[in-house]
Amino acid sequence: MDWNSFGGKWPRRDGKDVVVVNTHDRRLEMFIVGNDDALYHRWQERPGGDWNGRWESLGGKWPDDSDPVVVVNADGRLEVFMVGNDKELYHIWQERPGGDWNGRWESLGGKWPDDSDPVVVVNADGRLEVFMVGNDKELYHIWQERPGGDWK
């Protein structure tokens, strides 16, 4: 049995090394932080098919202990959450399912512990809700006011 390489030289990090999700149309898309601390992704061209030819950067500068958390929104767009070097929670999302990314990481605030990663779920009505444990060991959450909308 032969293993196929996706190329690149990836650092071994604390926690997860790669995150893979099923997209709205059943293609796989993977995310990994590179040696330059930016987040990269690569995806299948069609379900069960070939992968696109190169890694694409989503940018950012992520600490060693921050892992990407990826969810599929109710409308099929992917959204990624990560804790930054400044300990704030950031997210980036696709403009449409399978489409381009919005091009900027947006802060959702907070000051989170070094080893804190968010838990993100899609509510029954399609809103995203994020849970995190703070420096005081209490559980916090933030949620969208409506699916794809502002955060509260």
Side-chain angles (χ1 to χ4, degrees):
M1 183 173 303
D2 292 328
W3 286 78
N4 295 309
S5 173
F6 280 106
K9 299 292 183 199
W10 305 103
R12 297 287 300 164
R13 296 168 51 90
D14 295 335
K16 299 179 275 274
D17 292 317
V18 64
V19 173
V20 181
V21 297
N22 271 307
T23 63
H24 74 289
D25 60 359
R26 306 296 297 157
R27 292 175 301 115
L28 297 178
E29 188 156 349
M30 63 180 135
F31 299 82
I32 190 169
V33 176
N35 285 319
D36 61 355
D37 297 329
L39 184 67
Y40 289 85
H41 72 126
R42 198 165 174 184
W43 58 93
Q44 286 180 316
E45 297 289 345
R46 65 181 191 292
D50 293 334
W51 291 79
N52 71 311
R54 62 182 173 79
W55 288 96
E56 182 178 292
S57 176
L58 291 175
K61 198 82 166 157
W62 308 107
D64 286 343
D65 52 7
S66 183
D67 294 319
V69 174
V70 185
V71 296
V72 180
N73 282 303
D75 64 3
R77 293 174 301 119
L78 295 180
E79 192 156 346
V80 181
F81 296 80
M82 293 186 76
V83 175
N85 284 311
D86 60 1
K87 306 303 179 201
E88 290 186 19
L89 180 64
Y90 290 87
H91 68 132
I92 192 170
W93 58 92
Q94 289 178 314
E95 296 286 337
R96 61 178 175 73
D100 292 334
W101 293 79
N102 71 320
R104 67 188 187 289
W105 287 91
E106 182 180 284
S107 175
L108 291 174
K111 290 293 180 195
W112 305 104
D114 289 342
D115 59 351
S116 185
D117 288 320
V119 173
V120 186
V121 296
V122 180
N123 283 313
D125 63 3
R127 294 174 302 123
L128 295 182
E129 191 157 354
V130 180
F131 299 86
M132 294 189 73
V133 175
N135 287 304
D136 59 3
K137 306 295 185 207
E138 290 190 26
L139 183 62
Y140 293 87
H141 71 129
I142 189 172
W143 60 93
Q144 290 177 316
E145 293 178 4
R146 66 182 191 331
D150 292 334
W151 293 83
K152 186 174 187 172

